[in-house]
Each structure stands twice: as structure tokens, then as C-alpha cells.
Amino acid sequence: MSRDSNPGSKNSGIQVIARAAAVMRSLGDNPKGLSLAAIAHIVELPRSTVQRIIAALEDEYLVESLGVRGGFRLGPAFGQLINQTQSDIISMVHPFICELSLLVGESVTLASLIGDKIYVVERVVSERELRVVFPIGIQPPSYATSSGKVLLASLNLETAAALLPESLEKFTPQTLDKAALLAQLDTIRLSGIAKDQEEYIEGICSVAISINTYLGNYAISVVAPASRTHLRADRFETALVECKQNIERMIGSPSLTRPGNPNG
């Protein structure tokens, strides 16, 4: 019997991949790096096992040493993979967010969750005189934006809480504290829709929905002056749900029903 046809060999290989993925997730949740002991504690594996996994990942530049500081963090090859994935998601989603922007007459952003911040990977700027322009690459705090909140809501409560600082910086009088934010995430999990009501920048609101794709989870948000958002929030929500459904049909997500509606 060849090695490839040995069920035990296959199971062993799957276990190694699962353990390596767990190690990389632990480093992804801690961008400043972790010691071997800390990684071992998080993934619940012996330190010697973690050391072997780290060595293999280092050989592929997926993990790198912090040098004299000690510990490890995700390596440059992992960043390259992320950039390649973002290029793919941008090319696929861009036509849909262009259509959404035209439909609602407002600016639209596409963002991902990186640590406790939102990374804007693409945007379509409205042609209106009074419009909102978010630079690509901007990294606002997740807790004060609709994109961030809808992606935090896709995590379980413990993970979301651990991702955020204990004390949330107040950017405006409307910025939520941590307890209020975590309570709001429960509501967002049910509705699938998140809102930023002047919580990051006074005078600017946004409404967001998450898209679940084989390229990862992203958030699409409609960003507009507060005066227009208050009057048209329902329209934004309806347009976002339709945009989500169209994207997920193309990119292969099985979720084709309105979030929070088990009957579709």
C-alpha cells in the first residue's frame, strides 16, 4: 500500500494542517507577536510540537522571528497571500459596489477586519456635491464603524471582546463604550445589519452588511452625510441585502437569504 492510500497517513496530514492553522490564527489575533509558550497555551499543544510547527512555517516565510525581542509573528509570505486574495475580491466585487453606489447615490466601501481595525480595500465615491470619501487603506477602529461592527458580530462574543481594547477611545459623543458595543453586537447578529450613527466622525453615518465568500468575510457599507442617512437608512438596508445576495451567488456562498430571516 502506498503512503497516499494509507488512511492513517491522511489523518496525520490533516492533523498537522489543523495544528498549523491554529498556530497561525493565534498569531493573527496577536499582531505584536507571541512567545512559544504563549502560542502553546493558546492552541493547547505541547511546546515541543509548537516549536516544530513554527520551524516549518518559518521555512515557508509564513512566520518570522522577532529576533532579540523573542517570540514570533506572521511572516511576509502570509501578507502576500492576503494581498493576492484582496486583489481577487476587489475584481469580483467592484462591479456590484459600483451598481450599489449608483442605486443609492452614495459612496460605498469594501473592508476587511484586521485585528481590532477595519482595512478599507476598495471604495466607490459618489458623484454628488456633498459626499463622503474614505481613502483606500484607511484603518479606522472596528468598534466605531458599521463595517467593523458587522464583522465583529460574525465572531463569537468571547472572541470579539478579546479582540478589542478594554477601554474604547471616544471619537465623538456617540461612540459606544465596550459594554454597550458588545450588547449591540447581539442585535446585529440577528439582523445582519450594522449602523454607525456619527460614532467615528460627527456628521457622517454608515450602514453595513457582511458578505461571506470563499475568499473570506468582508463588509460592504454605504457611507453618507448624517442628514441623508437618517432619512434613507431603510433604502440603504434593502439595497445592501440585494447586493449581498448577488455577490454571494457569484462567489459561491450558500447563504442566499436575508440575514436573520431563516425562512428567506
Side-chain angles (χ1 to χ4, degrees):
M1 179 180 291
S2 69
R3 182 181 177 186
D4 289 342
S5 61
N6 186 334
S9 176
K10 288 183 179 179
N11 289 338
S12 176
I14 291 170
Q15 185 183 60
V16 169
I17 293 170
R19 288 176 169 180
V23 168
M24 293 182 70
R25 279 195 293 270
S26 71
L27 293 175
D29 291 339
N30 296 274
K32 292 182 180 180
L34 290 170
S35 66
L36 281 175
I39 298 170
H41 176 73
I42 291 171
V43 301
E44 299 181 342
L45 289 171
R47 177 172 171 152
S48 58
T49 301
V50 171
Q51 190 166 16
R52 288 195 298 271
I53 293 171
I54 288 289
L57 292 173
E58 271 194 292
D59 288 343
E60 300 298 328
Y61 301 101
L62 290 167
V63 165
E64 64 181 3
S65 169
L66 292 173
V68 294
R69 291 172 52 197
F72 299 89
R73 65 185 175 192
L74 292 175
F78 188 79
Q80 291 169 2
L81 290 173
I82 291 176
N83 288 334
Q84 289 167 359
T85 300
Q86 288 179 346
S87 296
D88 290 341
I89 193 75
I90 289 169
S91 64
M92 290 182 178
V93 171
H94 186 77
F96 293 96
I97 62 174
C98 283
E99 182 179 356
L100 175 62
S101 178
L102 287 172
L103 180 64
V104 299
E106 303 291 354
S107 297
V108 174
T109 68
L110 173 70
S112 61
L113 184 65
I114 306 292
D116 64 347
K117 293 183 170 53
I118 283 298
Y119 185 84
V120 177
V121 300
E122 180 64 313
R123 56 99 193 270
V124 177
V125 178
S126 167
E127 295 298 324
R128 305 179 71 150
E129 281 189 23
L130 181 59
R131 57 189 178 176
V132 179
V133 181
F134 268 104
I136 293 175
I138 189 173
Q139 297 186 46
S142 57
Y143 61 84
T145 64
S146 62
S147 290
K149 289 194 282 186
V150 80
L151 289 175
L152 287 172
S154 69
L155 307 173
N156 62 50
L157 180 62
E158 293 76 15
T159 302
L163 202 60
L164 297 167
E166 283 305 313
S167 178
L168 306 185
E169 179 182 353
K170 286 190 72 71
F171 293 92
T172 76
Q174 284 70 43
T175 305
L176 302 178
D177 61 28
K178 191 168 183 177
L181 173 71
L182 294 176
Q184 190 180 88
L185 293 183
D186 286 335
T187 302
I188 295 170
R189 288 186 185 97
L190 293 175
S191 69
I193 297 288
K195 297 178 182 178
D196 155 21
Q197 309 212 49
E198 302 184 71
E199 294 160 45
Y200 181 48
I201 299 174
E202 289 190 84
I204 295 177
C205 293
S206 64
V207 182
I209 198 167
S210 65
I211 55 172
N212 178 21
T213 78
Y214 67 81
L215 294 170
N217 289 343
Y218 290 81
I220 295 174
S221 66
V222 175
V223 189
S227 57
R228 294 203 297 259
T229 304
H230 295 326
L231 296 173
R232 304 170 65 220
D234 289 345
R235 184 182 177 192
F236 293 170
E237 289 185 29
T238 301
L240 281 164
V241 169
E242 183 178 354
C243 182
K244 170 189 174 73
Q245 292 173 341
N246 291 337
I247 290 171
E248 290 184 349
R249 285 190 188 100
M250 183 188 74
I251 303 184
S253 168
S255 175
L256 299 177
T257 59
R258 179 165 185 161
N261 182 358
N263 300 317

